Amino acid sequence: YTPFKPKISERLAKAPSMIDEVRKKDILLRYPFESMEPLIKLLNECADRKDCIAIKITIYRLADHSRIVEALKRASENGIDVTVVIELCARFDEENNMHFASKLQEAGCTIIYGMENYKVHSKIISIVLKEGEDIRYITHLGTGNYNESTSKQYTDLNVITADTEIGEDAVAFFRNIA
């Protein structure tokens, strides 16, 4: 078969700020037809923003050289509260997940190792921004993994939204997991 390269919409490719784009309109990403790049761009943008106060994420599988992990580490090193719920029972990826958990913890991230008798297979990122006295949310919900390699192979749906109600629900999810 002819090699296939995932696309990035013109809207997202030209966007100077993913945060501004998602505030204008929700973003739907369909892997493998569309690239994971907009999500990585969002995490990198948040890692460097002074108004980003928290990033929380569930991790089931990651690429061997994960740019998502690099963004999370940088965010933590920049003073952002980063919490990672990492699944230790990810079939065939247990060792890889332990490696990344160690790297993230060294960078100052809070690590939660799954839950006894439950497998956390959800894909959720909760980003909390503080603008003056106001709290704003950006939430990612997806059916796949946060693995840049396998996102080019498997069909998954992802939504990134700035909807307040969904953002509050994501915050409550992470509070309950903790």
Side-chain angles (χ1 to χ4, degrees), residues 7-161:
K7 308 287 185 235
I8 301 174
S9 74
E10 190 174 325
R11 168 190 168 215
L12 299 179
K14 291 182 177 182
S17 167
M18 290 302 297
I19 291 172
D20 291 344
E21 283 304 307
V22 75
R23 284 183 175 158
K24 290 179 202 170
K25 185 177 177 184
D26 290 351
I27 297 169
L28 178 64
L29 299 174
R30 297 162 294 259
Y31 307 152
F33 312 104
E34 292 175 296
S35 173
M36 187 183 270
E37 287 302 316
L39 180 64
I40 294 167
K41 183 178 175 181
L42 173 66
L43 287 172
N44 280 316
E45 181 180 346
C46 290
D48 296 324
R49 286 181 62 126
K50 300 268 187 250
D51 62 343
C52 184
I53 59 173
I55 301 172
K56 300 184 185 311
I57 183 172
T58 59
I59 292 178
Y60 188 77
R61 291 189 200 287
L62 292 166
D64 290 337
H65 304 286
S66 175
R67 292 180 295 149
I68 289 174
V69 167
E70 293 306 314
L72 295 171
K73 286 171 36 181
R74 194 170 74 256
S76 182
E77 290 163 354
N78 286 340
I80 297 168
D81 174 25
V82 177
T83 300
V84 178
V85 178
I86 192 159
E87 183 55 58
L88 295 183
C89 296
R91 193 170 46 137
F92 307 120
D93 274 344
E94 292 87 353
E95 188 175 329
N96 197 40
N97 284 0
M98 288 297 294
H99 166 76
F100 282 123
S102 173
K103 294 291 182 194
L104 288 161
Q105 198 162 28
E106 286 172 18
C109 300
T110 300
I111 305 298
I112 299 171
Y113 294 103
M115 297 173 61
E116 189 175 348
N117 298 323
Y118 291 97
K119 186 179 275 197
V120 178
H121 203 274
S122 56
K123 284 51 171 207
I124 301 175
I125 299 173
S126 172
I127 298 167
V128 181
L129 303 158
K130 184 169 173 68
E131 298 172 353
E133 295 301 312
D134 296 329
I135 298 292
R136 305 273 188 244
Y137 305 99
I138 295 177
T139 308
H140 170 271
L141 302 167
T143 62
N145 297 302
Y146 292 121
N147 184 322
E148 296 103 309
S149 299
T150 62
S151 72
K152 297 172 187 169
Q153 299 170 335
Y154 299 112
T155 303
D156 288 297
L157 296 174
N158 301 267
V159 66
I160 305 171
T161 183

